[in-house]
């Protein structure tokens, strides 16, 4: 096991750079905390580096136990001083372990064309925590994939990964397609598209969620563009008691995903 004591170490800088700017290819990811690193191990991801606060290696802490497990499997483990680890961790209260791992990016086209799939589209969801929460809800509700479009946050930034609690490491998630391409792919596959709107849509219970389905969700504020709404097969609105007029996109998405699950299960 190698040791790092200086905040000026090259690997420390590598962790900081990935925390500040997520990999645009979505192949190289920063994981913070025992839970996410453990989920990455279960998902079969390759570890480029795993850094552990040196104080966690001398006891029976979860971080220390995980580090020894990963080391026995051949992962490169680094024992890091408290000062250096604080610089490597992207959070204010470091959990004791951070890692850089590599994943094989999912193909956006393949997600769109999944037979009898239930695809969730997140458009212009700029808050990474909300995006991660939506991905978590998508996996929990039986979606077959998530497409991230427009000005949305990177779904594999450390904040989004933390919000998804590992779901993004298992569920096919991809960026890169335009909303126009997503709608065209859905129709080419013989599927239906349903767009969430704040008002004047049908209730979730009135929608036929069966078969090949794409649920489109826009970010808080603008929502989905009018030209996209006009091409969707149906519009859905979550009934709300005044004066509430809108919901967090992750919450709204979860409600609609579970309404769909009622019919699809």
């Amino acid at each position: 096991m190698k040791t790092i004591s200086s905040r000026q170490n090259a690997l420390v800088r590598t962790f900081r750079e990935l925390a500040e700017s997520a990999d645009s290819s979505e192949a190289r990811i920063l994981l913070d905390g025992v839970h996410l690193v453990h989920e990455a191990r279960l998902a079969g991801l390759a570890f480029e580096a795993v850094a552990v606060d040196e104080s966690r290696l001398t006891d029976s802490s979860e971080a220390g136990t995980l580090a020894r497990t990963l080391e026995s499997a051949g992962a490169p483990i680094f024992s890091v001083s408290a000062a250096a680890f604080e610089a490597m961790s992207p959070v204010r209260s470091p959990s004791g372990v951070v890692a850089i791992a590599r994943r094989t990016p999912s193909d956006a086209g393949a997600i769109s064309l999944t037979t009898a799939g239930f695809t969730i589209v997140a458009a212009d969801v700029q808050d990474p925590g909300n995006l991660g929460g939506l991905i978590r809800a998508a996996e929990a509700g039986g979606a077959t994939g998530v497409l991230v479009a427009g000005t949305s946050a990177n779904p594999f930034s450390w904040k989004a990964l933390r919000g998804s609690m590992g779901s993004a490491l298992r569920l096919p998630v991809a960026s890169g397609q335009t909303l126009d391409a997503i709608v065209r792919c859905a129709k080419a596959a013989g599927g239906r598209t349903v767009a969430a709107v704040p008002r004047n849509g049908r209730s979730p219970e009135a929608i036929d969620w069966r078969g090949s389905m794409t649920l489109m969700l826009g970010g808080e504020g603008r929502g989905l563009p009018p030209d996209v709404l006009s091409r969707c097969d149906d519009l859905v609105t979550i009934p709300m008691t005044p004066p509430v007029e809108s919901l967090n996109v992750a919450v709204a998405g979860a409600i609609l995903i579970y309404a769909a699950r009622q019919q699809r299960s």
Side-chain angles (χ1 to χ4, degrees), residues 8 19 29 58 77 112 164 179 183 247:
Q8 307 307 315
I29 58 176
T58 58
I77 309 296
S112 297
S164 80
L179 290 177
V183 173
L247 294 170

Side-chain angles (χ1 to χ4, degrees), residues 44-61:
L45 271 61
F47 289 96
E48 183 177 309
V50 181
V52 186
D53 185 325
E54 62 184 7
S55 67
R56 306 296 182 99
L57 293 170
T58 58
D59 56 25
S60 58
S61 69

Side-chain angles (χ1 to χ4, degrees), residues 55-245:
S55 67
R56 306 296 182 99
L57 293 170
T58 58
D59 56 25
S60 58
S61 69
E62 286 185 314
T65 301
L66 177 59
R68 289 186 285 274
T69 298
L70 291 171
E71 185 178 35
S72 65
I77 309 296
F78 295 83
S79 173
V80 184
S81 69
F85 190 84
E86 184 179 4
M88 298 175 85
S89 175
V91 300
R92 291 184 178 179
S93 300
S95 63
V97 57
V98 289
I100 295 175
R102 290 188 173 273
R103 61 180 290 274
T104 301
S106 299
D107 180 76
I111 294 174
S112 297
L113 297 172
T114 301
T115 303
F118 180 31
T119 303
I120 310 303
V121 177
D124 302 327
V125 179
Q126 298 179 358
D127 184 279
N130 286 346
L131 180 58
L134 178 59
I135 293 171
R136 182 71 166 171
E139 184 188 33
T144 53
V146 176
L147 295 174
V148 180
T151 59
S152 293
N154 186 318
F156 294 96
S157 67
W158 72 267
K159 286 184 179 179
L161 285 168
R162 199 174 189 200
S164 80
M165 293 291 288
S167 289
L169 304 177
R170 296 181 294 266
L171 186 68
V173 178
S175 306
Q177 278 193 327
T178 64
L179 290 177
D180 178 69
I182 290 170
V183 173
R184 281 191 286 105
C185 282
K187 292 184 179 297
R192 298 175 61 251
T193 54
V194 174
V197 292
R199 58 190 63 84
N200 300 325
R202 296 203 292 158
S203 70
E205 296 77 14
I207 302 295
D208 182 357
W209 297 102
R210 295 168 296 179
S212 183
M213 172 66 63
T214 298
L215 170 61
M216 308 189 72
L217 298 155
E220 297 93 336
R222 291 190 308 168
L224 294 164
D227 63 313
V228 171
L229 296 178
S230 67
R231 296 173 58 199
C232 288
D233 297 299
D234 218 331
L235 304 178
V236 62
T237 295
I238 298 170
M240 285 176 273
T241 302
V244 178
E245 296 182 346

